[in-house]
Amino acid sequence: MGAVLDAKAYASKADRDSNRQSTRIQTINREIILDAAIAVFAVHGFRGSTVDQIAAKAEMSKPNLLYYFRRKQDIYRAVLEHTLDDWLTPLSAIDPQGDPIEELRRYITLKLKMSAENPAASRLFANEILAGAPVIGDFLKTRLRQLVHEKAGVIRRWVAEGRLAPVDPTHLIFTVWAVTQHYADFDVQIRAVLGSQIDQPGFREQTAQAVLTIVLNGIRPRG
Amino acid sequence: MGAVLDAKAYASKADRDSNRQSTRIQTINREIILDAAIAVFAVHGFRGSTVDQIAAKAEMSKPNLLYYFRRKQDIYRAVLEHTLDDWLTPLSAIDPQGDPIEELRRYITLKLKMSAENPAASRLFANEILAGAPVIGDFLKTRLRQLVHEKAGVIRRWVAEGRLAPVDPTHLIFTVWAVTQHYADFDVQIRAVLGSQIDQPGFREQTAQAVLTIVLNGIRPRG
DNA sequence: CTCTAATTTGACCAAATAGTCAAGAATCTG
DNA sequence: CAGATTCTTGACTATTTGGTCAAATTAGAG
């Protein structure tokens, strides 16, 4: 898929030195920085995060970090860029030729899995959206919008063919997003309510089962 | 219900002067400040918001604002306190004696209404939770936890009596929270995807209808 | 109206923060 | 190994930010 957000001038000193290929150290350190940055931005958002925090988490001096990404904004954009594609893949993968219930089951399961395995990515988006989507706003209005319209069309066709109960396709997609995001973003709240049982093996499967029961039975056509 | 979070020393100069009653001006200005503060904190969270922003939105000088709330923390706590009770009321109101489907329909409808009418409150919580619930953590682990356990018990009984399809009660509550919060917190994303249709009259009813269809049909026992 | 207490604010301070820079250290290339 | 390049960092600057304070203004009680 490639560059999702508009490339912004030059991100670093290394970049500015013509478009030479990245060195080994550059590759390693950029990865380290992005990993540290997503953890920090996910908790406090862009405004609430500091370059020092990211540098500390990356175990790197601040000037060194700024050697790879000249400005805080550049780190932030890079992190979003780095995560955005992955986030859309599950929806893209819904297959119009497949079995409706099976496709949606797979979609929900995959989304829940991603939320569980990479909650920081989910929280990063949540923060960006809460702040008014200053960086990914255009992306939402173009790429995301188009993808949702496309997949809503698929679901609408399934409904028309009687293979799904009558349901508003867009709101169905929103509902799935809502629930899957929730388990990542509100993890602290869920932990507070459930206590230790969240760490028991099988909790994830149990969650998936419960969500699938609620959502799928709601859209499955009555016998 | 009263004080939800632990009172923290004295919030303001006025408070410190013994527990004299609030003056007219105090009442007005505290209200103005809290209104301004919720709008600011809802967008950028605690760390990302500045006292100057709040003062500007309240059309008040910063020292004047700090005359009513001595520290940024105090404003933040007051805003959360001010909102927390309202947020729980709908769940509290679920009546074990009522009709299951009717009770849940009312709960979901009310939650959606609150999200639509006061999205800032919803986003304030979202930010607090994303930041790790530093302030309301205790509240979540005590009051919220207890309330959820109680209402989960009610739902479990309904299921046992065959008045609801088999469903995990806690996950059902989480699902409802997820969806209702989503329409407030991710408003920007929803707007980006739907475009202008979100502002058409009847959109809220349409949303409620769609959500109720998905969730309720999923838990309604099959004929 | 007068006196007191409450309210308001300009000017200020210390700490935090984004970002710079020059010089030293490590790495790579031939 | 030698020279060039890349990488790293201590020390620094300008700006932002949370919070203070004394003095001026306004509101309220009698």
Side-chain angles (χ1 to χ4, degrees):
Chain A
M1 288 197 176
V4 178
L5 308 175
D6 297 334
K8 206 58 171 192
Y10 295 106
S12 72
K13 171 72 163 50
D15 275 358
R16 253 169 307 138
D17 295 348
S18 309
N19 15 7
R20 227 164 304 174
Q21 200 187 334
S22 290
T23 68
R24 186 182 57 90
I25 295 177
Q26 272 168 38
T27 309
I28 293 171
N29 280 347
R30 272 200 246 265
E31 188 67 26
I32 290 173
I33 292 168
L34 291 181
D35 284 351
I38 198 174
V40 174
F41 285 133
V43 175
H44 290 117
F46 178 74
R47 287 227 32 180
S49 303
T50 73
V51 177
D52 294 83
Q53 279 173 50
I54 300 171
K57 180 143 282 190
E59 298 180 89
M60 195 178 283
S61 70
K62 183 166 63 164
N64 197 20
L65 185 150
L66 289 168
Y67 170 74
Y68 292 100
F69 296 91
R70 286 175 69 206
R71 298 176 307 157
K72 186 181 163 187
Q73 270 253 11
D74 296 334
I75 315 174
Y76 187 65
R77 295 186 81 94
V79 168
L80 279 174
E81 176 93 38
H82 197 250
T83 321
L84 226 43
D85 270 350
D86 289 348
W87 219 239
L88 248 48
T89 308
L91 185 55
S92 302
I94 288 183
D95 178 8
Q97 312 300 326
D99 174 69
I101 295 292
E102 238 2 271
E103 288 299 315
L104 289 172
R105 179 193 307 279
R106 200 156 51 78
Y107 176 53
I108 293 170
T109 307
L110 188 51
K111 270 289 211 184
L112 280 171
K113 183 164 177 253
M114 285 175 65
S115 281
E117 286 173 357
N118 195 3
S122 181
R123 289 177 203 144
L124 177 77
F125 284 123
N127 268 304
E128 162 74 6
I129 304 281
L130 282 168
V135 173
I136 66 170
D138 281 347
F139 168 86
L140 299 181
K141 280 189 270 209
T142 53
R143 290 264 313 268
L144 181 70
R145 183 190 168 106
Q146 201 195 316
L147 182 60
V148 170
H149 278 36
E150 181 192 323
K151 296 305 177 181
V154 171
I155 295 172
R156 196 169 290 112
R157 239 169 289 131
W158 283 339
V159 170
E161 293 164 5
R163 303 168 74 194
L164 279 183
V167 67
D168 182 306
T170 329
H171 285 296
L172 173 60
I173 293 173
F174 290 160
T175 297
V176 174
W177 285 352
V179 177
T180 54
Q181 285 258 150
H182 190 79
Y183 281 92
D185 301 347
F186 285 68
D187 174 74
V188 170
Q189 178 173 277
I190 290 170
R191 263 169 206 285
V193 169
L194 292 185
S196 54
Q197 69 182 103
I198 199 175
D199 292 315
Q200 280 167 13
F203 175 76
R204 248 179 67 189
E205 289 70 23
Q206 187 189 325
T207 300
Q209 189 52 59
V211 170
L212 286 168
T213 300
I214 294 169
V215 176
L216 288 188
N217 285 353
I219 60 175
R220 179 177 286 158
R222 305 303 167 103
Chain B
M1 290 197 176
V4 177
L5 308 175
D6 297 334
K8 207 53 173 197
Y10 294 106
S12 72
K13 170 70 163 52
D15 275 357
R16 252 168 310 141
D17 297 346
S18 309
N19 17 8
R20 227 164 303 173
Q21 200 187 333
S22 290
T23 68
R24 186 182 56 89
I25 295 177
Q26 274 168 37
T27 310
I28 293 171
N29 280 348
R30 273 199 245 266
E31 188 67 27
I32 291 174
I33 292 168
L34 292 180
D35 284 352
I38 197 175
V40 173
F41 285 133
V43 175
H44 290 117
F46 178 74
R47 285 227 32 175
S49 302
T50 72
V51 177
D52 293 85
Q53 278 172 46
I54 300 170
K57 179 143 284 189
E59 299 180 87
M60 196 178 282
S61 71
K62 182 167 63 165
N64 197 22
L65 185 150
L66 289 168
Y67 170 74
Y68 293 99
F69 297 90
R70 286 174 71 206
R71 298 176 307 157
K72 186 181 163 186
Q73 270 251 15
D74 295 334
I75 315 172
Y76 187 64
R77 295 186 81 95
V79 168
L80 278 174
E81 176 92 39
H82 197 251
T83 320
L84 225 43
D85 269 351
D86 288 347
W87 217 239
L88 247 47
T89 308
L91 185 56
S92 303
I94 288 183
D95 178 8
Q97 312 300 327
D99 175 68
I101 294 293
E102 239 0 272
E103 288 298 318
L104 289 173
R105 178 195 306 279
R106 201 157 49 80
Y107 176 54
I108 293 170
T109 307
L110 189 50
K111 270 288 210 184
L112 279 171
K113 183 164 177 254
M114 285 174 66
S115 281
E117 285 173 357
N118 195 2
S122 181
R123 289 176 202 145
L124 177 76
F125 285 124
N127 268 305
E128 163 74 5
I129 304 282
L130 282 168
V135 173
I136 65 170
D138 281 347
F139 168 86
L140 298 181
K141 281 189 272 215
T142 53
R143 290 263 315 265
L144 182 69
R145 182 189 170 106
Q146 202 195 315
L147 181 60
V148 169
H149 278 36
E150 181 193 323
K151 296 305 177 180
V154 172
I155 295 172
R156 196 169 290 111
R157 237 170 291 132
W158 284 340
V159 170
E161 294 164 6
R163 303 167 74 194
L164 278 183
V167 67
D168 181 302
T170 328
H171 285 297
L172 173 60
I173 293 174
F174 290 160
T175 297
V176 173
W177 284 353
V179 176
T180 53
Q181 286 257 151
H182 191 78
Y183 280 93
D185 301 347
F186 284 68
D187 174 75
V188 171
Q189 178 173 278
I190 290 169
R191 263 169 206 283
V193 169
L194 291 184
S196 54
Q197 70 182 102
I198 199 174
D199 293 313
Q200 279 169 14
F203 175 76
R204 248 179 64 188
E205 290 71 22
Q206 187 189 326
T207 300
Q209 189 52 59
V211 171
L212 287 167
T213 300
I214 294 169
V215 176
L216 288 188
N217 285 352
I219 59 174
R220 178 177 287 157
R222 305 303 168 104

